[in-house]
Amino acid sequence: MHILIVEDEENIRIVLKYNLELDGHTVDLAENGQIGLEKAQSKPDLILLDIMMPVMGGLEACLKLKTDPETKEIPVFMLTAKSQIGDIEEAFKVGADDYLTKPFDPTDLSERIK
């Protein structure tokens, strides 16, 4: 599976990439929502998207992904430190398919991807 990770924190990108590649996935990286939108045009099978990022945040990026006919069918998992009910509801309103909070369990993430 081809997975796009959109995350501004380099250490988290590295850990996610490492774990997902161990599971046999191909991984592409982006450090903000704008770059993530550009890389999503390659049509990955899944996008892991942080909410709080510079340039363009994850909620705006998710909304754009889900309203673009070219990318609207790509599943988007929000992976974020924001854990309030309102944050979760907002993510699903803009089209998120799943919501995981940091810190995350790599095994749980792998299971959800399957």
Side-chain angles (χ1 to χ4, degrees), residues 21-113:
E21 287 178 342
L22 279 179
D23 286 345
H25 303 292
T26 303
V27 178
D28 199 5
L29 304 172
E31 60 269 10
N32 64 57
Q34 185 62 47
I35 295 169
L37 286 177
E38 293 165 12
K39 291 192 173 193
Q41 295 307 308
S42 70
K43 298 197 179 133
D45 300 304
L46 173 67
I47 298 172
L48 299 179
L49 185 58
D50 187 16
I51 289 181
M52 296 181 294
M53 295 181 290
V55 182
M56 178 186 295
L59 294 174
E60 182 181 354
C62 185
L63 181 62
K64 289 182 181 219
L65 287 164
K66 293 301 188 173
T67 56
D68 180 341
E70 296 295 316
T71 58
K72 70 179 183 179
E73 299 300 323
I74 301 170
V76 175
F77 288 12
M78 305 307 283
L79 187 58
T80 179
K82 296 179 72 96
S83 61
Q84 300 295 315
I85 295 295
D87 298 321
I88 297 167
E89 289 172 347
E90 187 64 27
F92 285 113
K93 277 185 197 173
V94 297
D97 296 284
D98 203 349
Y99 195 100
L100 296 95
T101 56
K102 298 174 192 171
F104 60 91
D105 176 357
T107 304
D108 182 38
L109 177 61
S110 293
E111 289 301 314
R112 289 184 188 217
I113 289 171

